[in-house]
Amino acid sequence: EALGYTNEIRPFLNKRLRPVDILHGVSFASAASGYDELTANLSHVLPVSKQLEYFREYKMRLRQLIGARKAENIIKNAVAVMSMGTNDFLQNYYLEPIRPKQYTLEEYQNYLASCMSDDVKTMHSLGITRLVVVGVPPLGCMPLVKTLMNQETCVEKYNNFSSSFNSKLQFKLEVARTTLGMKIGYVDAYGIFEDAVNNSKKYGFIEASKGCCGTGTIEYGDTCRGMSTCADASKYVFWDAVHPTERMYEIIAGQAIDSLRKQLMA
């Protein structure tokens, strides 16, 4: 909406995808995916490699619709968005035994950053010149993590590795800017979240420590079904024990667009 496109961005796999959707942009995203292909496999969702395969198919459909030259121009001027990483840690490294046997935490961070870098190179080879990457939020501030660690305040250990991982991402993105000549914007989800949690009244929030659904401490996603919810979700930072509310997403989007204007339009 902030960009002036009030319709939803439709999934590429939507059976009712219209030509106008193909012209305005589509989503290849798959909830619970990650930079690590194993993360997607564990959740039975689409890995980035498959999403990029669908992007190739999208390019073909775009060419058929408006011709090769116009199609390339649309893709050249498009903004691609990548937002993932949380599930690589919460639903993979910290739950499953496979990656911890192969990598220390820092080695796994480096592995994920390299996976992201490879994805960016592939996107560039497919004609993408403008990219936005969203960093991971402070995972230690999620109600679920605080509950599991039996802490009332944000868990510093989890926040520290979130921050260090974001630094590794930004380093790889700077390399891509230099070597590939891409315009790349970075959205500091960590800083935005941290400020909202620590200065909740500034944003009109009254609850920053637990989610709106159920107890707000352990339920997330499907486990919220049938649960009672808070009276006004817009006063909460978190919708469930992991995900932000619509109001919080709105704040992230607003600040993201401000930073992207400076980073991509310069």
Side-chain angles (χ1 to χ4, degrees), residues 1-96:
E1 288 175 354
L3 290 170
Y5 187 60
T6 54
N7 297 327
E8 64 178 338
I9 303 296
R10 292 197 173 193
F12 179 64
L13 297 182
N14 188 323
K15 291 178 181 177
R16 296 182 179 178
L17 198 69
R18 304 161 302 176
V20 69
D21 298 319
I22 291 174
L23 291 174
H24 280 290
V26 293
S27 173
F28 305 94
S30 188
S33 193
Y35 293 115
D36 184 354
E37 193 139 325
L38 177 62
T39 303
N41 294 339
L42 290 168
S43 298
H44 306 291
V45 299
L46 303 179
V48 179
S49 59
K50 189 66 179 177
Q51 295 173 40
L52 289 170
E53 192 179 307
Y54 283 129
F55 178 67
R56 289 184 179 92
E57 191 178 318
Y58 165 83
K59 282 186 68 174
M60 288 172 58
R61 289 175 66 175
L62 190 61
R63 285 196 201 102
Q64 290 167 358
L65 199 63
I66 56 172
R69 185 178 293 179
K70 285 183 178 178
E72 289 301 323
N73 200 44
I74 281 179
I75 289 164
K76 180 185 174 184
N77 289 295
V79 178
V81 180
M82 276 208 300
S83 177
M84 64 190 98
T86 299
N87 286 67
D88 288 313
F89 295 107
L90 294 188
Q91 288 199 276
N92 185 344
Y93 194 85
Y94 281 104
L95 278 184
E96 301 291 334

Side-chain angles (χ1 to χ4, degrees), residues 130-201:
R130 298 198 293 180
L131 171 68
V132 172
V133 175
V134 183
V136 298
L139 302 182
C141 292
M142 289 180 174
L144 177 66
V145 173
K146 291 194 290 184
T147 301
L148 293 175
M149 299 300 287
N150 197 28
Q151 279 191 214
E152 292 186 4
T153 56
C154 296
V155 184
E156 193 173 346
K157 180 179 79 170
Y158 281 76
N159 280 1
N160 286 343
F161 84 67
S162 302
S163 180
S164 65
F165 175 60
N166 285 332
S167 295
K168 292 175 191 297
L169 285 184
Q170 290 178 80
F171 175 78
K172 292 285 189 182
L173 293 175
E174 187 54 46
V175 172
R177 283 190 196 100
T178 306
T179 58
L180 302 176
M182 294 175 73
K183 285 194 172 183
I184 301 176
Y186 174 78
V187 178
D188 181 20
Y190 186 102
I192 299 168
F193 250 104
E194 190 176 47
D195 193 42
V197 169
N198 294 333
N199 305 289
S200 52
K201 288 182 180 177

